[in-house]
Tab-separated table of all heavy atoms in Angstrom:
chain	number	residue	atom	x	y	z
A	128	SER	N	188.747	274.159	-20.223
A	128	SER	CA	189.100	273.889	-21.618
A	128	SER	C	187.877	274.152	-22.494
A	128	SER	O	186.739	274.225	-22.006
A	128	SER	CB	189.537	272.429	-21.776
A	128	SER	OG	188.430	271.561	-21.532
A	129	GLU	N	188.085	274.275	-23.795
A	129	GLU	CA	186.965	274.524	-24.710
A	129	GLU	C	185.943	273.394	-24.650
A	129	GLU	O	184.737	273.636	-24.694
A	129	GLU	CB	187.482	274.689	-26.146
A	129	GLU	CG	188.230	275.987	-26.384
A	129	GLU	CD	188.577	276.183	-27.848
A	129	GLU	OE1	188.098	275.385	-28.688
A	129	GLU	OE2	189.326	277.129	-28.151
A	130	GLU	N	186.415	272.172	-24.553
A	130	GLU	CA	185.508	271.020	-24.475
A	130	GLU	C	184.651	271.092	-23.222
A	130	GLU	O	183.435	270.851	-23.270
A	130	GLU	CB	186.313	269.726	-24.493
A	130	GLU	CG	185.447	268.467	-24.447
A	130	GLU	CD	186.266	267.193	-24.456
A	130	GLU	OE1	187.507	267.283	-24.493
A	130	GLU	OE2	185.664	266.114	-24.411
A	131	SER	N	185.265	271.413	-22.097
A	131	SER	CA	184.516	271.511	-20.842
A	131	SER	C	183.558	272.689	-20.869
A	131	SER	O	182.433	272.600	-20.365
A	131	SER	CB	185.476	271.638	-19.661
A	131	SER	OG	186.222	270.444	-19.499
A	132	GLN	N	183.979	273.801	-21.457
A	132	GLN	CA	183.087	274.947	-21.591
A	132	GLN	C	181.840	274.571	-22.387
A	132	GLN	O	180.726	274.953	-22.024
A	132	GLN	CB	183.807	276.103	-22.281
A	132	GLN	CG	184.813	276.824	-21.413
A	132	GLN	CD	185.444	278.005	-22.123
A	132	GLN	OE1	184.978	278.438	-23.170
A	132	GLN	NE2	186.519	278.528	-21.561
A	133	ALA	N	182.028	273.821	-23.463
A	133	ALA	CA	180.898	273.420	-24.301
A	133	ALA	C	179.910	272.556	-23.511
A	133	ALA	O	178.681	272.723	-23.634
A	133	ALA	CB	181.392	272.666	-25.532
A	134	TYR	N	180.425	271.652	-22.686
A	134	TYR	CA	179.550	270.786	-21.891
A	134	TYR	C	178.775	271.587	-20.855
A	134	TYR	O	177.563	271.413	-20.694
A	134	TYR	CB	180.371	269.699	-21.204
A	134	TYR	CG	179.527	268.732	-20.414
A	134	TYR	CD1	178.695	267.837	-21.060
A	134	TYR	CD2	179.548	268.741	-19.025
A	134	TYR	CE1	177.899	266.957	-20.346
A	134	TYR	CE2	178.757	267.864	-18.299
A	134	TYR	CZ	177.934	266.974	-18.968
A	134	TYR	OH	177.141	266.112	-18.259
A	135	VAL	N	179.474	272.487	-20.173
A	135	VAL	CA	178.804	273.312	-19.162
A	135	VAL	C	177.757	274.208	-19.822
A	135	VAL	O	176.677	274.426	-19.268
A	135	VAL	CB	179.837	274.145	-18.374
A	135	VAL	CG1	179.139	275.143	-17.459
A	135	VAL	CG2	180.742	273.232	-17.554
A	136	LEU	N	178.052	274.702	-21.016
A	136	LEU	CA	177.094	275.537	-21.732
A	136	LEU	C	175.815	274.774	-22.060
A	136	LEU	O	174.719	275.339	-22.000
A	136	LEU	CB	177.713	276.070	-23.022
A	136	LEU	CG	178.456	277.403	-22.938
A	136	LEU	CD1	179.014	277.777	-24.305
A	136	LEU	CD2	177.545	278.511	-22.412
A	137	GLU	N	175.941	273.505	-22.409
A	137	GLU	CA	174.756	272.691	-22.688
A	137	GLU	C	173.852	272.622	-21.457
A	137	GLU	O	172.625	272.753	-21.558
A	137	GLU	CB	175.167	271.279	-23.108
A	137	GLU	CG	175.814	271.196	-24.479
A	137	GLU	CD	176.231	269.784	-24.816
A	137	GLU	OE1	175.875	268.856	-24.048
A	137	GLU	OE2	176.913	269.584	-25.834
A	138	LEU	N	174.456	272.412	-20.301
A	138	LEU	CA	173.687	272.367	-19.061
A	138	LEU	C	173.101	273.734	-18.739
A	138	LEU	O	171.959	273.852	-18.278
A	138	LEU	CB	174.567	271.889	-17.910
A	138	LEU	CG	175.133	270.474	-18.011
A	138	LEU	CD1	176.014	270.172	-16.804
A	138	LEU	CD2	174.007	269.450	-18.113
A	139	ARG	N	173.890	274.782	-18.971
A	139	ARG	CA	173.433	276.144	-18.703
A	139	ARG	C	172.251	276.514	-19.591
A	139	ARG	O	171.333	277.223	-19.158
A	139	ARG	CB	174.593	277.118	-18.930
A	139	ARG	CG	174.278	278.558	-18.598
A	139	ARG	CD	174.213	278.770	-17.109
A	139	ARG	NE	173.910	280.153	-16.775
A	139	ARG	CZ	173.831	280.627	-15.553
A	139	ARG	NH1	174.048	279.829	-14.518
A	139	ARG	NH2	173.544	281.888	-15.324
A	140	ASP	N	172.252	276.024	-20.830
A	140	ASP	CA	171.134	276.307	-21.739
A	140	ASP	C	169.822	275.729	-21.210
A	140	ASP	O	168.760	276.345	-21.356
A	140	ASP	CB	171.427	275.740	-23.131
A	140	ASP	CG	172.468	276.563	-23.892
A	140	ASP	OD1	172.748	277.700	-23.464
A	140	ASP	OD2	172.997	276.046	-24.893
A	141	ILE	N	169.900	274.551	-20.614
A	141	ILE	CA	168.704	273.939	-20.027
A	141	ILE	C	168.192	274.799	-18.877
A	141	ILE	O	166.980	275.054	-18.744
A	141	ILE	CB	169.018	272.510	-19.529
A	141	ILE	CG1	169.415	271.620	-20.703
A	141	ILE	CG2	167.829	271.920	-18.776
A	141	ILE	CD1	169.986	270.265	-20.294
A	142	TYR	N	169.101	275.258	-18.052
A	142	TYR	CA	168.779	276.137	-16.915
A	142	TYR	C	168.122	277.417	-17.411
A	142	TYR	O	167.087	277.845	-16.904
A	142	TYR	CB	170.084	276.422	-16.171
A	142	TYR	CG	170.016	277.363	-15.007
A	142	TYR	CD1	169.921	276.870	-13.710
A	142	TYR	CD2	170.099	278.748	-15.182
A	142	TYR	CE1	169.896	277.725	-12.622
A	142	TYR	CE2	170.072	279.609	-14.099
A	142	TYR	CZ	169.975	279.101	-12.823
A	142	TYR	OH	169.949	279.952	-11.753
A	143	GLU	N	168.719	278.033	-18.423
A	143	GLU	CA	168.204	279.303	-18.933
A	143	GLU	C	166.861	279.134	-19.623
A	143	GLU	O	166.031	280.049	-19.601
A	143	GLU	CB	169.214	279.932	-19.897
A	143	GLU	CG	170.457	280.474	-19.213
A	143	GLU	CD	170.146	281.575	-18.216
A	143	GLU	OE1	169.268	282.416	-18.495
A	143	GLU	OE2	170.759	281.577	-17.133
Side-chain angles (χ1 to χ4, degrees):
S128 66
E129 289 187 8
E130 181 180 0
S131 293
Q132 286 183 13
Y134 182 70
V135 172
L136 270 180
E137 290 178 8
L138 297 179
R139 184 74 180 182
D140 286 345
I141 297 169
Y142 177 97
E143 289 299 321

